Amino acid sequence: MFDIVIIGAGPAGMEAALQVKKHTGKVLVLDNRPEPGGNVYAYVGSNAKIFPDHFATFDNSYRSGLALVQRFLESGIDYRPCCSVWHLDENGQVAYRGPDGAHVVQAKKIILCTGAYERPLPLPGWTLPGVMGVGAAQIALKSSAVLPPGPTVIIGNGPLALLYARQLRRAGSKISAFIIPKQKEPVRTFGAGLRAALINPANTVYGLSMLLDRRMAGTGVFRNASRIEITGQDKAESVRFEVAGKVIERPAGSVLLHDGIIPDINISAGSGLDIDWSNKQQSWRPNIDEMGRSSVQNILVAGDAGGIAGAEAAHLSGKRAAMAALVALGIATDGDLAETQSGTENGLQREIRFRTRLDQLYPTAYSSLSLADDLTVCRCEGVTAGDIRREIGSMESANADPNRLKSVLRCGMGPCQGRNCSLTIAKLVAGEMATNIDPRSLPRTRAPYTQITLGEMANLRSGQNHD
């Protein structure tokens, strides 16, 4: 039996594992990627070793992850890449599939460091080939030095979009245009920007440098865009939109969508953790305390999986969750916990406050979207906004049940398991029923959390290395 199993090898997962390793060797890290780093430091190790010229095109926000990845790989921690968790329960049983089939391990404590993914931005034409998220394009750049065919247009805004635009320019390409959707209320950038500068001057200067980069690249910026649609026959060919009543069309070989990032809660929700709705971040997230402890006694959460706060906060929260788990197991002392909490408190609170200002500077377009009946909402099952509205209309109850929508229409049952549609469906339900989104708006998540064959389940084997 492992003392602690950590799911995810991003900054939170690696920091948690290194903290645990100082006290016990009975720690296992499972990650679905071929190498550690998560999204923020994806493929930093192989880029530094095999593709030094490509590695040099990235700035310090990416390259700084190399030291952590090296410490993690050299630590002797039981690390299993290319392993996807498809089931876990409150008794500490963790089932996963890897390169050599399906396995099950037993843990006394589990730390979920599953990170985040991009908030879906459903628009007319978003299912065309050539349309993807900014995050997906960034992973292609990091993993394979792949540049999207131009002209490349970004629909959306935010730090990740600006960072990718800089990285793409350094790699020899550029973003042709930023199309920023219109908000319901004006964005008060001056006040939020000033507060961000006071909280974290260095990161604010970094953000301003990315804005300057965009201007120097000659990228067209179109603010307050409405009626945005991606057009094309067999692939994306242009983006059409309106600004101040004027129709504009920009050619596009690639269209990248971005509307911020949200916690990946599928395993958290499927494991029975209490899930809350955050009005500030317009997303669901697990209900956890300041040390990452959840409503399920043996499961903790760290990093962006527990609420979006950025890479530096993930480092700190990973250390905290690990120490809280060690103390609960009697391996570390309350004094160790107090020392860890004290050593991470100021930095963590600074990052959380800074993220609050970023959210004010770059509010989500999600709440401002107008969803036409013929718009595909669930890409996996081909369910439209009209299909969902008609099913809501047939419900007699005053509260539309998202689980009924899931069972009748199959939205959320495809390969993405609702990651690309649950938020949009919740918005539709709230709009049709004149209610607010809350934890009840989230349909139930059940195992398996990822695809697995019947043959793999039938041949499930123990993956324990510790008795």
Side-chain angles (χ1 to χ4, degrees), residues 64-93:
S64 63
L66 180 60
L68 175 61
V69 167
Q70 290 175 333
R71 280 197 297 125
F72 174 74
L73 290 175
E74 293 167 1
S75 65
I77 291 168
D78 189 344
Y79 159 61
R80 304 181 191 180
C82 300
C83 291
S84 299
V85 172
W86 58 269
H87 170 81
L88 65 83
D89 59 36
E90 60 184 14
N91 296 318
Q93 190 176 74

Side-chain angles (χ1 to χ4, degrees), residues 79-253:
Y79 159 61
R80 304 181 191 180
C82 300
C83 291
S84 299
V85 172
W86 58 269
H87 170 81
L88 65 83
D89 59 36
E90 60 184 14
N91 296 318
Q93 190 176 74
V94 181
Y96 67 93
R97 64 177 302 195
D100 57 346
H103 302 267
V104 61
V105 295
Q106 192 71 33
K108 297 176 183 176
K109 292 286 182 182
I110 299 166
I111 304 177
L112 300 179
C113 304
T114 50
Y117 59 92
E118 288 181 279
R119 178 185 284 105
L121 185 58
L123 297 165
W126 76 313
T127 58
L128 284 168
V131 183
M132 68 179 77
V134 167
Q138 188 190 53
I139 293 298
L141 178 64
K142 291 177 177 177
S143 64
S144 308
V146 171
L147 307 180
T152 303
V153 174
I154 287 180
I155 302 176
N157 205 7
L160 179 60
L162 290 168
L163 176 60
Y164 176 72
R166 165 179 278 182
Q167 292 169 341
L168 196 63
R169 186 184 180 203
R170 290 182 174 181
S173 186
K174 62 173 284 187
I175 300 298
S176 169
F178 264 77
I179 300 169
I180 303 173
K182 186 176 183 179
Q183 299 292 327
K184 282 186 175 180
E185 298 179 0
V187 180
R188 296 176 175 85
T189 57
F190 179 77
L194 180 60
R195 294 185 184 95
L198 292 172
I199 294 168
N200 196 325
N203 279 0
T204 303
V205 170
Y206 183 66
L208 290 171
S209 73
M210 291 193 293
L211 291 170
L212 181 61
D213 254 18
R214 183 172 69 179
R215 174 171 291 187
M216 292 176 63
T219 300
V221 180
F222 301 89
R223 304 181 189 278
N224 296 316
S226 61
R227 300 181 181 274
I228 305 170
E229 59 177 323
I230 304 161
T231 63
Q233 292 297 318
D234 300 320
K235 61 183 182 65
E237 297 173 357
S238 69
V239 181
R240 187 183 299 125
F241 55 97
E242 289 185 15
V243 174
K246 180 182 178 182
V247 177
I248 302 172
E249 187 163 359
R250 297 282 300 202

Side-chain angles (χ1 to χ4, degrees), residues 257-273:
L257 308 177
H258 185 68
D259 193 28
I261 59 175
I262 56 178
D264 187 344
I265 62 164
N266 272 42
I267 295 180
S268 297
S271 306
L273 275 63

